[in-house]
Amino acid sequence: MRGDRHVVLGVFSATLLLAPWLGTLDPGFCLSAVAGVFIGSLAPDADAADAAIFRGFSGGRGLFRRLIRHTVLVLPLVGYVIRYGIYYPVSALLWICTLGTIRPQHRGFLHSLPGAFATTGILLLYGALLFGHMGLSLPLHAIVFGAGFFAGAVLHLLADTCTRGGIAWGFPFVPLRLAGSFPGGSRDRRPEILAGLLGGGTVLFLVAAPLGMLPAAVAPAGAACYAAAIWALFLHDTGVHRV
């Protein structure tokens, strides 16, 4: 699946879940979380040299593309840190421990739940070391960013599960692979439909409580259930199955 689709699905999922909380949460935390999701939704593709995380989004039409054109300055930095500071060292360790059985590959370690945990943890460790070098502790906003980054990576895995190539969620410990029928090309508009449903849900839950359509106490759970249902529908529609 293309990088821009991963970003849209990840960010819209995040804004949907955050929508009921926008009146109570610190805006800085919300921005940190969404920024983390934005970058995390591209992070697993750091195992591919031609991935969007290495070049950012510099062209195309539309307001969204114009807003994110500055990612050409930020995303490559994060991408190369992940590729050379996390992916290659961990892949080398796996290669040594398995006597060459497991080699670096696209949709390998980074496209797994252990990989998402490891990438997030090591990035936060690098951040803590950087701030520690300056005599500072890791700020809470960075931890929120890390949580968003992990969520974005998991959403990336969820989307790639729907593709024909699929992913092994438990790699390298569990070889079971899940795949769907989505071809990954631009002609299949199902990701755009999914994004539209997620975006529409964001608007709905932004106004539901203020307009009295839904009690504020149940709005967060409602948003979570709505997001889960929409993603479950997408997984079902793409026929996700064991490979």
Side-chain angles (χ1 to χ4, degrees):
M1 190 176 290
R2 296 198 318 259
D4 56 347
R5 283 176 162 174
H6 279 300
V7 167
V8 171
L9 294 177
V11 169
F12 279 11
S13 296
T15 54
L16 169 58
L17 295 175
L18 288 172
W21 299 97
L22 289 183
T24 56
L25 290 178
D26 184 325
F29 288 149
C30 293
L31 288 175
S32 296
V34 173
V37 171
F38 181 96
I39 296 178
S41 65
L42 295 170
D45 280 342
D47 59 8
D50 60 345
I53 197 169
F54 296 119
R55 62 178 186 273
F57 300 99
S58 58
R61 300 178 179 179
L63 176 62
F64 185 72
R65 284 280 192 170
R66 291 197 296 272
L67 288 175
I68 62 175
R69 68 182 184 276
H70 298 296
T71 59
V72 296
L73 302 175
V74 178
L75 285 180
L77 174 62
V78 179
Y80 284 114
V81 168
I82 294 173
R83 186 172 180 85
Y84 293 101
I86 300 175
Y87 173 59
Y88 279 147
V90 173
S91 295
L93 182 62
L94 287 174
W95 184 81
I96 293 171
C97 292
T98 62
L99 302 179
T101 302
I102 297 178
R103 299 183 179 184
Q105 59 177 312
H106 181 49
R107 297 203 178 186
F109 177 70
L110 289 187
H111 280 77
S112 70
L113 201 56
F117 273 114
T119 303
T120 304
I122 295 173
L123 272 182
L124 288 175
L125 175 61
Y126 286 161
L129 292 174
L130 177 62
F131 278 96
H133 182 71
M134 296 184 291
L136 303 171
S137 59
L138 191 67
L140 185 56
H141 282 81
I143 298 175
V144 173
F145 173 88
F149 180 94
F150 176 75
V154 171
L155 288 168
H156 181 114
L157 303 184
L158 201 59
D160 276 355
T161 300
C162 301
T163 63
R164 292 173 180 172
I167 64 165
W169 280 79
F171 183 90
F173 307 107
V174 181
L176 174 66
R177 199 172 191 89
L178 299 177
S181 62
F182 181 70
S186 59
R187 293 185 178 182
D188 193 318
R189 312 308 295 180
R190 281 178 289 183
E192 281 73 19
I193 295 173
L194 173 61
L197 292 171
L198 293 171
T202 299
V203 175
L204 173 64
F205 283 96
L206 272 174
V207 302
L211 294 181
M213 300 166 56
L214 193 67
V218 301
C225 290
Y226 178 87
I230 295 302
W231 272 102
L233 180 63
F234 186 58
L235 292 168
H236 174 74
D237 185 65
T238 53
V240 172
H241 60 283
R242 293 184 178 184
V243 178

mmCIF file of all heavy atoms in Angstrom, residues 18-46:
data_model
loop_
_atom_site.group_PDB
_atom_site.id
_atom_site.type_symbol
_atom_site.label_atom_id
_atom_site.label_comp_id
_atom_site.label_asym_id
_atom_site.label_seq_id
_atom_site.Cartn_x
_atom_site.Cartn_y
_atom_site.Cartn_z
ATOM 1 N N LEU A 18 -9.241 10.596 19.046
ATOM 2 C CA LEU A 18 -8.971 11.767 19.878
ATOM 3 C C LEU A 18 -10.130 12.759 19.896
ATOM 4 O O LEU A 18 -10.202 13.600 20.806
ATOM 5 C CB LEU A 18 -7.708 12.486 19.382
ATOM 6 C CG LEU A 18 -6.374 11.796 19.647
ATOM 7 C CD1 LEU A 18 -5.255 12.533 18.919
ATOM 8 C CD2 LEU A 18 -6.080 11.745 21.144
ATOM 9 N N ALA A 19 -11.008 12.675 18.910
ATOM 10 C CA ALA A 19 -12.074 13.672 18.764
ATOM 11 C C ALA A 19 -12.876 13.904 20.044
ATOM 12 O O ALA A 19 -13.106 15.063 20.429
ATOM 13 C CB ALA A 19 -12.998 13.281 17.610
ATOM 14 N N PRO A 20 -13.318 12.857 20.751
ATOM 15 C CA PRO A 20 -14.114 13.116 21.970
ATOM 16 C C PRO A 20 -13.314 13.755 23.102
ATOM 17 O O PRO A 20 -13.894 14.268 24.059
ATOM 18 C CB PRO A 20 -14.593 11.713 22.377
ATOM 19 C CG PRO A 20 -14.443 10.870 21.155
ATOM 20 C CD PRO A 20 -13.253 11.424 20.446
ATOM 21 N N TRP A 21 -11.977 13.720 22.999
ATOM 22 C CA TRP A 21 -11.130 14.217 24.080
ATOM 23 C C TRP A 21 -10.582 15.619 23.816
ATOM 24 O O TRP A 21 -9.899 16.177 24.685
ATOM 25 C CB TRP A 21 -9.934 13.279 24.279
ATOM 26 C CG TRP A 21 -10.297 11.884 24.660
ATOM 27 C CD1 TRP A 21 -10.413 10.809 23.844
ATOM 28 C CD2 TRP A 21 -10.597 11.414 25.984
ATOM 29 N NE1 TRP A 21 -10.760 9.685 24.560
ATOM 30 C CE2 TRP A 21 -10.880 10.031 25.872
ATOM 31 C CE3 TRP A 21 -10.644 12.020 27.246
ATOM 32 C CZ2 TRP A 21 -11.211 9.249 26.983
ATOM 33 C CZ3 TRP A 21 -10.971 11.239 28.345
ATOM 34 C CH2 TRP A 21 -11.255 9.875 28.211
ATOM 35 N N LEU A 22 -10.856 16.176 22.655
ATOM 36 C CA LEU A 22 -10.205 17.430 22.283
ATOM 37 C C LEU A 22 -10.534 18.578 23.226
ATOM 38 O O LEU A 22 -9.750 19.516 23.361
ATOM 39 C CB LEU A 22 -10.582 17.810 20.846
ATOM 40 C CG LEU A 22 -9.975 16.929 19.752
ATOM 41 C CD1 LEU A 22 -10.344 17.446 18.378
ATOM 42 C CD2 LEU A 22 -8.457 16.860 19.892
ATOM 43 N N GLY A 23 -11.671 18.512 23.868
ATOM 44 C CA GLY A 23 -12.033 19.585 24.790
ATOM 45 C C GLY A 23 -11.372 19.477 26.144
ATOM 46 O O GLY A 23 -11.389 20.444 26.923
ATOM 47 N N THR A 24 -10.782 18.324 26.442
ATOM 48 C CA THR A 24 -10.200 18.110 27.772
ATOM 49 C C THR A 24 -8.690 17.892 27.747
ATOM 50 O O THR A 24 -8.014 18.206 28.728
ATOM 51 C CB THR A 24 -10.867 16.895 28.450
ATOM 52 O OG1 THR A 24 -10.725 15.742 27.606
ATOM 53 C CG2 THR A 24 -12.350 17.163 28.683
ATOM 54 N N LEU A 25 -8.161 17.361 26.668
ATOM 55 C CA LEU A 25 -6.725 17.090 26.599
ATOM 56 C C LEU A 25 -5.938 18.333 26.212
ATOM 57 O O LEU A 25 -6.448 19.227 25.519
ATOM 58 C CB LEU A 25 -6.447 15.981 25.579
ATOM 59 C CG LEU A 25 -6.905 14.569 25.936
ATOM 60 C CD1 LEU A 25 -6.582 13.612 24.795
ATOM 61 C CD2 LEU A 25 -6.238 14.087 27.222
ATOM 62 N N ASP A 26 -4.694 18.376 26.643
ATOM 63 C CA ASP A 26 -3.777 19.442 26.248
ATOM 64 C C ASP A 26 -3.578 19.375 24.735
ATOM 65 O O ASP A 26 -3.215 18.319 24.200
ATOM 66 C CB ASP A 26 -2.440 19.239 26.964
ATOM 67 C CG ASP A 26 -1.450 20.360 26.688
ATOM 68 O OD1 ASP A 26 -1.442 20.894 25.564
ATOM 69 O OD2 ASP A 26 -0.669 20.693 27.596
ATOM 70 N N PRO A 27 -3.808 20.481 24.012
ATOM 71 C CA PRO A 27 -3.624 20.463 22.553
ATOM 72 C C PRO A 27 -2.227 20.018 22.135
ATOM 73 O O PRO A 27 -2.058 19.385 21.092
ATOM 74 C CB PRO A 27 -3.883 21.921 22.149
ATOM 75 C CG PRO A 27 -4.757 22.465 23.233
ATOM 76 C CD PRO A 27 -4.308 21.781 24.486
ATOM 77 N N GLY A 28 -1.232 20.347 22.958
ATOM 78 C CA GLY A 28 0.131 19.927 22.640
ATOM 79 C C GLY A 28 0.282 18.422 22.641
ATOM 80 O O GLY A 28 0.985 17.851 21.794
ATOM 81 N N PHE A 29 -0.391 17.756 23.583
ATOM 82 C CA PHE A 29 -0.350 16.301 23.625
ATOM 83 C C PHE A 29 -1.047 15.705 22.400
ATOM 84 O O PHE A 29 -0.586 14.710 21.837
ATOM 85 C CB PHE A 29 -0.998 15.785 24.904
ATOM 86 C CG PHE A 29 -0.181 16.019 26.140
ATOM 87 C CD1 PHE A 29 -0.788 16.219 27.362
ATOM 88 C CD2 PHE A 29 1.203 16.037 26.077
ATOM 89 C CE1 PHE A 29 -0.030 16.438 28.506
ATOM 90 C CE2 PHE A 29 1.970 16.252 27.211
ATOM 91 C CZ PHE A 29 1.354 16.455 28.429
ATOM 92 N N CYS A 30 -2.161 16.305 22.010
ATOM 93 C CA CYS A 30 -2.884 15.817 20.830
ATOM 94 C C CYS A 30 -2.022 15.947 19.580
ATOM 95 O O CYS A 30 -1.949 15.019 18.761
ATOM 96 C CB CYS A 30 -4.187 16.591 20.657
ATOM 97 S SG CYS A 30 -5.405 16.304 21.962
ATOM 98 N N LEU A 31 -1.358 17.092 19.434
ATOM 99 C CA LEU A 31 -0.491 17.294 18.274
ATOM 100 C C LEU A 31 0.685 16.323 18.295
ATOM 101 O O LEU A 31 1.082 15.792 17.248
ATOM 102 C CB LEU A 31 0.013 18.736 18.244
ATOM 103 C CG LEU A 31 -1.024 19.800 17.876
ATOM 104 C CD1 LEU A 31 -0.425 21.200 18.012
ATOM 105 C CD2 LEU A 31 -1.535 19.587 16.457
ATOM 106 N N SER A 32 1.242 16.082 19.476
ATOM 107 C CA SER A 32 2.356 15.138 19.594
ATOM 108 C C SER A 32 1.913 13.731 19.200
ATOM 109 O O SER A 32 2.640 13.005 18.510
ATOM 110 C CB SER A 32 2.897 15.132 21.029
ATOM 111 O OG SER A 32 3.435 16.387 21.371
ATOM 112 N N ALA A 33 0.718 13.355 19.647
ATOM 113 C CA ALA A 33 0.205 12.023 19.331
ATOM 114 C C ALA A 33 -0.038 11.871 17.833
ATOM 115 O O ALA A 33 0.349 10.860 17.226
ATOM 116 C CB ALA A 33 -1.083 11.764 20.105
ATOM 117 N N VAL A 34 -0.659 12.877 17.217
ATOM 118 C CA VAL A 34 -0.950 12.801 15.779
ATOM 119 C C VAL A 34 0.350 12.817 14.974
ATOM 120 O O VAL A 34 0.485 12.096 13.979
ATOM 121 C CB VAL A 34 -1.877 13.954 15.355
ATOM 122 C CG1 VAL A 34 -2.035 13.991 13.837
ATOM 123 C CG2 VAL A 34 -3.245 13.804 16.018
ATOM 124 N N ALA A 35 1.325 13.624 15.404
ATOM 125 C CA ALA A 35 2.622 13.634 14.722
ATOM 126 C C ALA A 35 3.287 12.265 14.817
ATOM 127 O O ALA A 35 3.892 11.778 13.851
ATOM 128 C CB ALA A 35 3.527 14.704 15.329
ATOM 129 N N GLY A 36 3.166 11.635 15.986
ATOM 130 C CA GLY A 36 3.718 10.292 16.143
ATOM 131 C C GLY A 36 3.047 9.290 15.231
ATOM 132 O O GLY A 36 3.710 8.452 14.607
ATOM 133 N N VAL A 37 1.720 9.374 15.131
ATOM 134 C CA VAL A 37 0.983 8.480 14.237
ATOM 135 C C VAL A 37 1.398 8.717 12.788
ATOM 136 O O VAL A 37 1.582 7.771 12.016
ATOM 137 C CB VAL A 37 -0.539 8.679 14.405
ATOM 138 C CG1 VAL A 37 -1.303 7.919 13.325
ATOM 139 C CG2 VAL A 37 -0.983 8.211 15.785
ATOM 140 N N PHE A 38 1.547 9.983 12.426
ATOM 141 C CA PHE A 38 1.946 10.336 11.057
ATOM 142 C C PHE A 38 3.254 9.637 10.677
ATOM 143 O O PHE A 38 3.347 8.971 9.639
ATOM 144 C CB PHE A 38 2.099 11.851 10.946
ATOM 145 C CG PHE A 38 2.482 12.339 9.576
ATOM 146 C CD1 PHE A 38 1.515 12.774 8.692
ATOM 147 C CD2 PHE A 38 3.808 12.368 9.168
ATOM 148 C CE1 PHE A 38 1.862 13.229 7.424
ATOM 149 C CE2 PHE A 38 4.165 12.811 7.908
ATOM 150 C CZ PHE A 38 3.189 13.247 7.032
ATOM 151 N N ILE A 39 4.265 9.784 11.516
ATOM 152 C CA ILE A 39 5.566 9.192 11.202
ATOM 153 C C ILE A 39 5.539 7.680 11.399
ATOM 154 O O ILE A 39 6.098 6.922 10.598
ATOM 155 C CB ILE A 39 6.662 9.844 12.062
ATOM 156 C CG1 ILE A 39 6.774 11.330 11.714
ATOM 157 C CG2 ILE A 39 8.006 9.148 11.848
ATOM 158 C CD1 ILE A 39 7.790 12.095 12.536
ATOM 159 N N GLY A 40 4.870 7.233 12.455
ATOM 160 C CA GLY A 40 4.795 5.799 12.709
ATOM 161 C C GLY A 40 4.088 5.032 11.615
ATOM 162 O O GLY A 40 4.412 3.872 11.347
ATOM 163 N N SER A 41 3.128 5.681 10.943
ATOM 164 C CA SER A 41 2.399 5.005 9.877
ATOM 165 C C SER A 41 3.271 4.748 8.657
ATOM 166 O O SER A 41 2.893 3.975 7.773
ATOM 167 C CB SER A 41 1.169 5.834 9.469
ATOM 168 O OG SER A 41 1.558 7.065 8.898
ATOM 169 N N LEU A 42 4.433 5.378 8.598
ATOM 170 C CA LEU A 42 5.376 5.150 7.502
ATOM 171 C C LEU A 42 6.591 4.332 7.937
ATOM 172 O O LEU A 42 7.320 3.799 7.097
ATOM 173 C CB LEU A 42 5.864 6.491 6.942
ATOM 174 C CG LEU A 42 4.818 7.374 6.265
ATOM 175 C CD1 LEU A 42 5.405 8.752 5.990
ATOM 176 C CD2 LEU A 42 4.325 6.746 4.973
ATOM 177 N N ALA A 43 6.816 4.251 9.245
ATOM 178 C CA ALA A 43 8.053 3.674 9.771
ATOM 179 C C ALA A 43 8.331 2.238 9.336
ATOM 180 O O ALA A 43 9.483 1.911 9.018
ATOM 181 C CB ALA A 43 8.052 3.768 11.298
ATOM 182 N N PRO A 44 7.345 1.329 9.311
ATOM 183 C CA PRO A 44 7.672 -0.051 8.929
ATOM 184 C C PRO A 44 8.287 -0.180 7.543
ATOM 185 O O PRO A 44 9.023 -1.138 7.278
ATOM 186 C CB PRO A 44 6.312 -0.763 9.005
ATOM 187 C CG PRO A 44 5.554 0.004 10.034
ATOM 188 C CD PRO A 44 5.952 1.433 9.797
ATOM 189 N N ASP A 45 8.014 0.784 6.661
ATOM 190 C CA ASP A 45 8.566 0.705 5.309
ATOM 191 C C ASP A 45 10.014 1.175 5.229
ATOM 192 O O ASP A 45 10.574 1.270 4.127
ATOM 193 C CB ASP A 45 7.706 1.516 4.336
ATOM 194 C CG ASP A 45 6.464 0.751 3.904
ATOM 195 O OD1 ASP A 45 6.443 -0.486 4.064
ATOM 196 O OD2 ASP A 45 5.511 1.390 3.418
ATOM 197 N N ALA A 46 10.625 1.462 6.372
ATOM 198 C CA ALA A 46 12.049 1.804 6.364
ATOM 199 C C ALA A 46 12.904 0.622 5.943
ATOM 200 O O ALA A 46 14.107 0.770 5.716
ATOM 201 C CB ALA A 46 12.483 2.297 7.749
#
